[in-house]
């Protein structure tokens, strides 16, 4: 079945992800898209919060009910990152970099975060894909030199509705691809082609208990990041924070 989005709009809400999860539990079909002008409890990865001032960003969450193997579900996050990449290009003429696993950056400053969550429902597991795009600089924490917005980068105020329209279109296309026979390989290839983090990037990886440095060596079939350490060992990263480092010129 093709992806057919239904948009529900909220003036203010705790979190579009929480609302999408509530509705998924209540049985809403695939394609529900919750959009809010502001979030009072916006959520980020690793239990962080996501600042969501009124009208400063696009805050949206989509409910999916994937029928493919659970071990391919991590690719949903990569799929969403690719969809945002494409939507920003089409709606704003902005080519953003994809940072593993799911940030969109320009000059290493973040302008979009993605939080994909799994929820058990009566009709099986569902995925909620939450996307937050900083559209304007209004309300971005002044001290946060790591963040940026579409407006700051392009010098133009983005058309929120156009971004949303392109984003849903792109999610539909990427999701359809992902469900096809060669979809996973295709997605990983596309992701790598649009990310400076995929291959040969010096990074620091912060895990819950340790951190280490190395050079990226592409993705595993499930989207995990391969990182080669100085002693030549290959480590596979499935969770954690990745920070780009200045290259020493030594590979
Ligand atoms: C991250 O980078 O940590 C992920 C941030 C995800 C934020 C979006 S905003 C819309 C959706 N609702 C939420 O509560 N979080 C996601």
């Amino acid at each position: 079945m093709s992806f057919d989005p239904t948009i529900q709009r909220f003036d203010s809400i705790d979190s579009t992800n929480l609302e999408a999860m509530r509705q998924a539990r209540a049985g809403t079909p695939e394609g529900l898209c919750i959009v809010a002008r502001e979030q009072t409890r916006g959520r980020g990865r690793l239990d962080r919060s996501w600042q969501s001032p009124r009208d400063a960003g696009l805050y949206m969450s989509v409910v999916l009910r994937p029928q493919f193997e659970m071990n391919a579900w991590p690719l949903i996050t990569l799929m969403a990152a690719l969809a945002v990449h494409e939507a920003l290009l089409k709606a704003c003429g902005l080519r953003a970099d994809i940072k593993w696993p799911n940030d969109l950056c320009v000059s290493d400053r973040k302008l979009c975060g993605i939080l994909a969550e799994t929820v058990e429902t009566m009709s099986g597991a569902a995925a909620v894909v939450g996307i937050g795009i900083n559209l304007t600089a209004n309300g971005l924490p002044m001290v946060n030199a790591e963040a940026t917005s579409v407006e700051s980068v392009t010098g133009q105020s983005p058309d929120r509705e156009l971004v949303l329209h392109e984003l849903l279109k792109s999610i539909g296309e990427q999701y359809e691809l992902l469900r096809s026979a060669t979809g996973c390989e295709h997605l990983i290839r596309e992701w790598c082609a649009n990310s400076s983090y995929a291959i040969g990037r010096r990074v620091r990886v912060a895990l819950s208990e340790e951190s280490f440095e190395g050079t990226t060596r592409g993705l595993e079939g499930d989207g995990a990041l391969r990182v080669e350490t100085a002693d030549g060992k290959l480590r596979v990263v499935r969770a954690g924070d990745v920070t780009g480092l200045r290259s020493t010129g030594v590979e």
Side-chain angles (χ1 to χ4, degrees):
M1 222 169 59
S2 70
F3 176 78
D4 186 17
T6 305
I7 302 176
Q8 259 185 38
R9 293 175 189 272
F10 289 80
D11 196 50
S12 177
I13 201 163
D14 50 357
S15 150
T16 57
N17 264 35
L18 288 175
E19 178 61 20
M21 289 200 277
R22 289 190 283 265
Q23 296 211 30
R25 279 192 207 98
T28 197
E30 175 162 276
L32 174 71
C33 171
I34 305 291
V35 182
R37 290 180 65 189
E38 73 173 357
Q39 298 183 116
T40 53
R41 248 181 81 200
R43 303 160 73 224
R45 283 176 69 227
L46 308 172
D47 273 338
R48 296 177 185 136
S49 61
W50 183 261
Q51 300 295 318
S52 314
R54 174 170 289 256
D55 296 332
L58 177 62
Y59 317 118
M60 60 90 83
S61 302
V62 176
V63 175
L64 301 177
R65 294 188 179 273
Q67 295 303 309
F68 47 76
E69 298 276 319
M70 208 70 184
N71 57 12
W73 282 38
L75 293 176
I76 292 172
T77 305
L78 304 193
M79 174 203 83
L82 255 184
V84 175
H85 173 86
E86 206 168 277
L88 289 177
L89 197 55
K90 288 194 175 149
C92 313
L94 173 61
R95 189 179 291 278
D97 188 20
I98 308 179
K99 176 172 175 252
W100 189 92
N102 52 7
D103 292 345
L104 276 288
C105 299
V106 173
S107 306
D108 283 327
R109 293 172 77 178
K110 178 162 170 171
L111 55 70
C112 166
I114 296 166
L115 177 65
E117 304 187 87
T118 307
V119 53
E120 286 305 325
T121 77
M122 298 283 275
S123 44
V128 165
V129 183
I131 297 173
I133 304 177
N134 300 332
L135 294 177
T136 72
N138 295 349
L140 279 184
M142 294 294 279
V143 286
N144 193 348
E146 290 168 7
T148 190
S149 68
V150 175
E151 188 178 27
S152 315
V153 173
T154 63
Q156 276 170 354
S157 174
D159 180 336
R160 175 192 319 270
E161 288 307 309
L162 183 60
V163 176
L164 176 62
H165 171 81
E166 291 295 347
L167 185 51
L168 287 173
K169 201 166 98 191
S170 193
I171 288 174
E173 288 163 4
Q174 296 290 348
Y175 188 45
E176 199 144 314
L177 250 177
L178 186 58
R179 290 183 293 181
S180 70
T182 55
C184 298
E185 298 91 75
H186 182 95
L187 178 86
I188 286 176
R189 242 191 344 265
E190 279 293 296
W191 191 96
C192 288
N194 291 294
S195 170
S196 73
Y197 282 77
I199 295 167
R201 178 87 191 245
R202 293 272 313 145
V203 291
R204 176 175 298 117
V205 180
L207 307 175
S208 51
E209 306 274 289
E210 57 156 336
S211 71
F212 66 92
E213 293 181 9
T215 305
T216 59
R217 298 289 182 228
L219 301 183
E220 294 280 293
D222 65 355
L225 183 67
R226 296 190 196 120
V227 180
E228 185 181 341
T229 51
D231 57 5
K233 291 209 174 87
L234 201 61
R235 298 193 58 169
V236 175
V237 182
R238 293 206 153 74
D241 267 338
V242 169
T243 314
L245 300 174
R246 262 176 225 286
S247 174
T248 56
V250 181
E251 278 289 293

